[in-house]
Amino acid sequence: MHIPTSSDPARPEYRYHLLRAASERFQTPPGALNAEQLAQAERQASQTFALETLVLASPEARDTMIPNARIDASVQTIRQRYPDQDTFLADLAQSGLDEPTLRQALQRELIFDAVMQQIGARAAPVTEIDEQLFYELHRDRFMTPERRTARHLLITINDDFADNRRDVARARIERIAEELHGQAERFGQLARAHSECPTAMEEGRLGTLPRGQLFPELDAALFALDAGRISGVLESELGFHLLLCEHIEAATSVAFDQARAKIRAVIESRRRQDGQKTWIAALRQR
């Protein structure tokens, strides 16, 4: 098979890479791109074409054969994106391709993929020690953080309105806190009646939240409350709040045996990629 050695726009194999780049980045053929978009697609096409050409010049590629049936299937996959054969051929022609040159480009692509899989398969096998070490070094990945189900009631501060001047707003929310008197079952009713947050329509529901989702003052107070308890008056940049912690979901961890399959997949993927990068770097040095 002839292997082009440059990203000459006249080469049909390069034009296929340009078509693919335009489709991936902008979901449109190259002819519909503006100048800036075309330049981006051309840069991507040049890079992928150069990498493919490098790999196809390797001994591994020369020993790799792709059955015609696989090329036929790849052509058919692309053909199925079009309503009919004429539209398919017209779109290819717009990109400087026809069906024979598309087949040649797809053959190159399939050889490239096969070679990269072959190189990736050379990676060292993953042992149980590797899996356990990964688990111990990345414990945070296997933790589900503590979460709290909460409601809140907000009285805003706004000096443009008499009822929302700072001292008046503070007095209003303190009266609501006195009316609640720690009765969690009444919180939703009073939030609907008095809260100046859109969540009032849902009786103050904030949902079930991990740490870090609220203003710092509210976040700290929520995660210090016991389930079923109401906070004192809190202040944020929005105004004054009352918080109810309805339910606590404790932090949990995924056991090693449960996580083991995913750990193995992650390590295997990394090793395949590292092996492929090292092999490509060696090709370039040659």
Side-chain angles (χ1 to χ4, degrees):
M1 180 179 65
H2 173 62
I3 300 173
T5 56
S6 73
S7 54
D8 182 350
R11 296 187 182 280
E13 301 90 346
Y14 169 78
R15 291 197 295 270
Y16 170 74
H17 280 260
L18 181 59
L19 174 62
R20 191 175 67 183
S23 298
E24 290 174 355
R25 293 178 70 92
F26 305 107
Q27 296 75 54
T28 190
L33 301 178
N34 61 37
E36 180 180 351
Q37 291 172 331
L38 181 59
Q40 292 180 38
E42 286 175 340
R43 283 195 295 271
Q44 179 175 324
S46 294
Q47 292 170 356
T48 58
F49 179 77
L51 177 60
E52 183 181 82
T53 300
L54 178 70
V55 170
L56 265 60
S58 69
E60 289 84 355
R62 288 195 292 270
D63 295 334
T64 300
M65 302 297 294
I66 303 297
N68 284 331
R70 285 194 62 193
I71 302 173
D72 293 340
S74 295
V75 172
Q76 185 61 18
T77 297
I78 296 174
R79 165 66 181 83
Q80 288 173 347
R81 301 172 190 167
Y82 296 87
D84 53 58
Q85 181 73 3
D86 290 342
T87 306
F88 169 56
L89 295 176
D91 200 21
L92 288 181
Q94 186 180 9
S95 299
L97 295 167
D98 55 23
E99 195 162 351
T101 56
L102 175 64
R103 288 182 62 85
Q104 182 178 352
L106 289 172
Q107 181 186 28
R108 287 170 54 93
E109 184 176 61
L110 289 167
I111 294 174
F112 173 86
D113 291 344
V115 171
M116 295 307 292
Q117 290 176 14
Q118 176 186 343
I119 300 304
R122 297 175 181 175
V126 178
T127 67
E128 183 175 354
I129 292 176
D130 295 328
E131 295 165 349
Q132 290 175 334
L133 182 60
F134 185 96
Y135 181 80
E136 294 299 331
L137 292 176
H138 301 90
R139 280 273 187 175
D140 56 318
R141 296 193 185 188
F142 306 103
M143 293 289 296
T144 300
E146 178 184 337
R147 303 197 308 167
R148 303 272 175 125
T149 302
R151 297 179 192 248
H152 89 137
L153 189 156
L154 167 67
I155 301 297
T156 57
I157 299 172
N158 188 335
D159 289 337
D160 293 336
F161 299 93
D163 285 346
N164 292 92
R165 291 197 308 268
R166 182 181 183 82
D167 56 339
V168 178
R170 177 83 193 203
R172 287 172 60 199
I173 201 164
E174 286 178 347
R175 285 197 298 272
I176 295 169
E178 289 178 7
E179 186 176 352
L180 271 171
H181 197 60
Q183 301 171 76
E185 66 275 7
R186 298 192 60 204
F187 196 97
Q189 173 192 350
L190 292 178
R192 179 179 284 275
H194 300 288
S195 182
E196 295 172 352
C197 175
T199 59
M201 298 298 293
E202 298 180 358
E203 299 188 337
R205 290 185 180 89
L206 293 174
T208 302
L209 310 169
R211 290 182 187 272
Q213 298 298 302
L214 302 175
F215 289 108
E217 305 87 348
L218 305 185
D219 196 70
L222 176 60
F223 281 84
L225 288 170
D226 293 331
R229 305 291 291 185
I230 299 171
S231 71
V233 175
L234 305 167
E235 184 175 354
S236 77
E237 61 187 64
L238 294 181
F240 296 110
H241 305 254
L242 294 173
L243 276 176
L244 165 64
C245 177
E246 290 190 293
H247 177 69
I248 299 173
E249 293 182 8
T252 58
S253 61
V254 178
F256 171 71
D257 287 342
Q258 293 175 292
R260 188 172 179 180
K262 290 185 178 180
I263 291 172
R264 173 174 289 271
V266 168
I267 298 174
E268 287 177 342
S269 177
R270 287 185 179 180
R271 289 187 178 179
R272 284 195 300 269
Q273 291 175 11
D274 289 344
Q276 290 163 348
K277 289 177 183 177
T278 300
W279 181 75
I280 287 171
L283 287 183
R284 286 176 170 149
Q285 287 180 349
R286 295 174 197 166

